[in-house]
Amino acid sequence: MDTNYHSARSQVRSGISEAEDEELVRQLCTLLRAECARSGSPWVQCSHLAELYYLQYGKVLGQQFQRAGYPASWMFWRDHRQVFSTYATPEPDNPYVAVFEMVNPTQDFRWSDRPHARRRRRPSTQLTRKL
């Protein structure tokens, strides 16, 4: 049976409304911005963000992700990569997270909701010389 990505995702995420999903994104943006202002770094490790979320909202962040239809936190960050940026650590479930606009303030992604393609670096012609 062939199921496309969007229908499978809507079946998984049927337990939460779009407004609740947006509220979770808004809450996380608020926490990340506040922690950035406090620490001076846009990056916050996911485990620390979970502690801040619990202190602020009295809810376990991992349970909120699961309630939203994301069995693993990386799936949430992947599906919201137009809002959040992640930096992998040796612990796969504990990346560093930032609000995307804070780590790339010159780029305007408001008009695009598509994933951003990875750019390959072209080899520099200045470094190659014929002997």
Side-chain angles (χ1 to χ4, degrees):
M1 186 170 148
D2 187 24
T3 307
N4 69 28
Y5 171 78
H6 295 292
S7 67
R9 184 168 176 242
S10 65
Q11 290 171 358
V12 170
R13 297 202 52 232
S14 62
I16 189 169
S17 71
E18 196 69 29
E20 289 174 311
D21 191 43
E22 289 175 13
E23 180 65 15
L24 180 59
V25 169
R26 188 193 62 73
Q27 290 171 344
L28 292 172
C29 283
T30 301
L31 286 175
L32 285 167
R33 286 185 180 110
E35 184 61 15
C36 172
R38 188 196 67 74
S39 70
S41 170
W43 298 101
V44 177
Q45 199 157 20
C46 196
S47 59
H48 184 62
L49 181 61
E51 291 174 21
L52 295 172
Y53 190 85
Y54 184 78
L55 290 173
Q56 180 69 30
Y57 300 105
K59 298 176 183 176
V60 177
L61 185 57
Q63 290 175 351
Q64 293 300 106
F65 287 149
Q66 289 180 353
R67 183 171 178 269
Y70 301 100
S73 66
W74 67 267
M75 296 174 90
F76 175 83
W77 305 121
R78 178 202 62 200
D79 282 0
H80 294 89
R81 64 181 146 208
Q82 70 273 17
V83 178
F84 301 104
S85 183
T86 58
Y87 183 82
T89 65
E91 303 170 57
D93 290 334
N94 196 19
Y96 283 93
V97 181
V99 177
F100 193 77
E101 68 191 29
M102 296 180 83
V103 292
N104 195 356
T106 61
Q107 191 68 35
D108 183 7
F109 292 102
R110 287 178 297 179
W111 299 106
S112 174
D113 61 355
R114 61 184 160 76
H116 307 295
R118 292 184 182 167
R119 295 183 183 134
R120 293 186 182 182
R121 181 179 281 183
R122 293 183 182 177
S124 175
T125 56
Q126 294 174 351
L127 297 177
T128 56
R129 295 180 186 167
K130 292 187 178 183
L131 295 175

